[in-house]
Amino acid sequence: EVQLVESGGGLVQPGGSLRLSCAASGFTFSSYWMTWVRQAPGKGLEWVANIKEDGSERYYVDSLKGRFTISRDNAKNSLFLQINSLRAEDTAVYYCTSTNVAAAGLHWGQGTLVTVS
Amino acid sequence: QSALTQPASVSGSPGQSIAISCIGTSSDVGNYYKYVSWYQQHPGKAPKLIVYDVTTRPSGVSTRFSGSKSGNTAYLTISGLQAEDEADYYCCSYTNTDTYVFGTGTKVTVL
């Protein structure tokens, strides 16, 4: 069974930093692109970034470039999202997903809540 | 990378069919023939993939869900509406900048 478990969220002050993690199991992690998607309270889904199987390519939504960094460790079946210079508008649930070109979110984690206040 | 446009809400009675539109541009929905997906999200839960490649359902997803596309607009049709279909639905498309963009979301209400 595919499992994606996010962690690292919490309450952080504006201007602070946070590193989110996603532990993957039940599939060959190193064979999949991986993605972060976020959802502000009461709002819709927003695609944030994705990373190629071997980490050699990364793409970001334009509005977040420079503050967000996606990375992965295939030896540990883990995905990461480093967020710097946090703003109130970054408050959201952050989801980790496995990805292929046909679907940004093949499988989803339960999400981790980041609150900037 | 503007969000794809979906109606805010759609409603129907049990047993009816409803359709949700997802309007994009030639840079996303209209550009990549098959790279449109749809997601169902119940309150307080993570989204779930219900359609990918415009028309393909993952294993275990009800055949009552079907997808289609015409030009810059994709559609999700739910036939034989059931109470359990009450949820938020989001479309998503690959774009010509190698990123993805989600739709604004549609709340489906079963009357």
Side-chain angles (χ1 to χ4, degrees):
Chain A
E1 179 193 2
V2 172
Q3 278 204 316
L4 297 167
V5 180
E6 300 92 338
S7 61
L11 177 63
V12 62
Q13 292 185 340
S17 297
L18 214 53
R19 190 192 196 209
L20 307 182
S21 300
C22 171
S25 61
F27 66 105
T28 306
F29 180 75
S30 58
S31 296
Y32 283 83
W33 284 72
M34 296 295 294
T35 295
W36 287 99
V37 175
R38 71 179 184 178
Q39 186 171 36
K43 302 297 184 183
L45 301 174
E46 180 182 25
W47 184 89
V48 172
N50 67 2
I51 185 168
K52 195 176 179 179
E53 296 96 326
D54 62 359
S56 61
E57 295 180 35
R58 311 169 196 212
Y59 298 94
Y60 300 89
V61 66
D62 282 346
S63 59
L64 302 178
K65 278 181 184 175
R67 294 194 301 120
F68 285 52
T69 303
I70 189 172
S71 61
R72 65 191 296 162
D73 183 341
N74 285 345
K76 297 182 178 179
N77 289 346
S78 294
L79 177 72
F80 306 101
L81 185 68
Q82 177 72 36
I83 312 174
N84 298 327
S85 304
L86 277 154
R87 306 167 181 170
E89 54 264 36
D90 295 321
T91 294
V93 173
Y94 286 73
Y95 293 103
C96 156
T97 80
S98 60
T99 298
N100 66 23
V101 67
L106 292 174
H107 297 95
W108 296 67
Q110 85 290 347
T112 186
L113 175 63
V114 172
T115 303
V116 184
S117 177
Chain B
Q1 292 169 320
S2 298
L4 309 175
T5 301
Q6 297 180 232
S9 62
V10 174
S11 61
S13 299
Q16 285 187 330
S17 293
I18 61 170
I20 302 169
S21 59
C22 170
I23 303 171
T25 68
S26 58
S27 297
D28 37 65
V29 175
N31 194 13
Y32 288 89
Y33 177 64
K34 297 190 72 173
Y35 302 149
V36 175
S37 52
W38 289 89
Y39 303 85
Q40 177 191 60
Q41 186 179 33
H42 286 106
K45 301 293 187 181
K48 172 190 172 185
L49 176 68
I50 57 173
V51 170
Y52 65 96
D53 272 353
V54 178
T55 61
T56 305
R57 284 182 305 277
S59 174
V61 172
S62 172
T63 56
R64 298 184 299 101
F65 294 97
S66 61
S68 62
K69 200 190 83 158
S70 177
N72 294 341
T73 303
Y75 300 91
L76 176 71
T77 300
I78 309 175
S79 57
L81 200 61
Q82 298 181 0
E84 67 210 48
D85 300 332
E86 190 159 290
D88 293 327
Y89 292 83
Y90 295 89
C91 61
C92 182
S93 174
Y94 191 61
T95 79
N96 64 357
T97 56
D98 296 318
T99 61
Y100 291 81
V101 60
F102 280 96
T104 50
T106 299
K107 181 177 180 60
V108 168
T109 300
V110 181
L111 302 172

